[in-house]
Amino acid sequence: MTTPTAQGARTLGDLTGTIVLVGAGKMGSAMLDAWLALGLSPKRVIAIEPQPTSELTALATRGLTLNPSMTAVRDVAAIVLAIKPQVAATAVPTLAPLLAPDTVVLSIMAGRTLGFLAGALTQHTALVRAMPNTPAAIGRGITVAVPNAQVSQPQRELVHALLAATGMVEWVTDEALMDAVTAVSGSGPAYVFLLAEALSSAGAAAGLPPELAAKLARATVSGSGELLNHSALDPATLRQNVTSPGGTTAAALDVLMAGDGMAELMNRAVIAATRRSRELAG
Ligand SMILES: NC(=O)c1ccc[n+]([C@@H]2O[C@H](COP(=O)([O-])OP(=O)(O)OC[C@H]3O[C@@H](n4cnc5c(N)ncnc54)[C@H](OP(=O)(O)O)[C@@H]3O)[C@@H](O)[C@H]2O)c1
C-alpha cells in the first residue's frame, strides 16, 4: 500500500541535514511514512523510539538510524518531538547534545508550551509548537504551528514542509490560540466520530437493523465530509441545499438547531476542551 501524502505537498528528496524523530508512535510514524513517501531518504532520518515497530526496524535496513548514541549524531536540521507530553520533562533535556546552531525543534506535544521547551533545552533554541490531528495518517490532517522568535525563514520552510506532508498547515503568531486550536481541530475528529455513532444509534432506535444503521451513518458522515472537501460552498450552503422547506431534513434541523441544540452543545464542548488544554499546559 502506498502511504497517502497531502495533495500538493513539496517533495522532500532535496532536503539536507538530518531529521531526528523522537517518538515513533501513532503520530510520529504517520509523519515519518509521509516524509518517506515524499522522497525523504531514510538515510536522513534518525529515530529515537524505545519500542520500535517491525516497520521501523525494517527501515533501519534501508539506511534509517535507530536509537544511536547521542554523541554520534551530527548535522541535525530538525528534531521532531512526537512523544507523549507526560514523558517530556525527562526526555526533552536529554536531546540538548543534538542541537547545532541551525537546528530547529518541532514539537507536536499537546499542551507543552514554547516556554516549557525552551526551559528543557536552551533559551535560544529555534522552536515550533504544532498541533496536528489524526487525519494526518491519510494525508488529510490540518496542523496549526506557532514559532518562537528564534525561528529563521529557512527553518520555518523546513518545518512547513515536514508538516505539510500530512495535510494542510496554518501558522499563527499568538501561542495562546493553541488551546482553542486543540479544542477544534486536535480533538475535533472525535466529535465527528461521535456524530457517526449517535446517528447510527438513532437509526437503530428508529427501527433499522443495527448493522444497516451503522453502515448508513458511516457512509453519510464520510461522504458528507468528502463533499465538503470537494465543494467550494460553505457548510451552511451545503446544509441548505439538502433542506426543502417543510420537509424531513427541516424537521430534524428544527431539533438540532433549537436554542439548546447542536451549536450550543458544540460551543460548550469546545469551551470545555479549551479549558482542559489550558489546565494541562499548567
Ligand atoms: N494522536 C493524536 O490525535 C494527536 C493529535 C495531536 C497531537 N498529538 C501529540 O502527538 C504526540 C504523540 O501522540 P501519539 O498518539 O502518537 O502517542 P503514542 O502512539 O503513544 O507515541 C509516542 C511514542 O513515543 C515513545 N516514547 C516514549 N518515551 C520516549 C522517549 N523517552 N524517547 C523516545 N520515544 C519515546 C512511545 O513509546 P512507548 O509506547 O514505549 O512509551 C511511543 O511509541 C503526543 O504528544 C500528543 O499530544 C497527538
Side-chain angles (χ1 to χ4, degrees), residues 31-57:
M31 292 176 83
L32 175 61
D33 288 348
W35 301 336
L36 298 177
L38 283 171
L40 180 67
S41 165
K43 293 189 178 114
R44 297 224 158 274
V45 182
I46 291 176
I48 300 174
E49 167 56 58
Q51 298 198 54
T53 57
S54 52
E55 288 86 357
L56 193 60
T57 310

Side-chain angles (χ1 to χ4, degrees), residues 23 25-27 48-51 82-85 108-110 131-132 134:
K26 288 183 283 297
M27 269 293 168
I48 300 174
E49 167 56 58
Q51 298 198 54
I83 47 178
K84 291 278 192 204
I108 63 161
M109 291 186 289
M131 175 50 59
T134 51

Side-chain angles (χ1 to χ4, degrees), residues 51-144:
Q51 298 198 54
T53 57
S54 52
E55 288 86 357
L56 193 60
T57 310
L59 279 170
T61 63
R62 290 178 46 207
L64 176 142
T65 304
L66 190 54
N67 297 328
S69 143
M70 295 286 183
T71 50
V73 179
R74 299 265 181 287
D75 193 24
V76 176
I79 299 175
V80 180
L81 301 174
I83 47 178
K84 291 278 192 204
Q86 299 88 303
V87 301
T90 46
V92 178
T94 66
L95 302 167
L98 305 186
L99 294 172
D102 286 342
T103 309
V104 60
V105 176
L106 163 63
S107 166
I108 63 161
M109 291 186 289
R112 288 301 182 184
T113 62
L114 291 169
F116 164 84
L117 294 166
L121 293 164
T122 68
Q123 291 301 325
H124 50 81
T125 311
L127 299 166
V128 176
R129 175 181 169 194
M131 175 50 59
N133 64 3
T134 51
I138 57 161
R140 289 284 300 278
I142 184 157
T143 301
V144 178

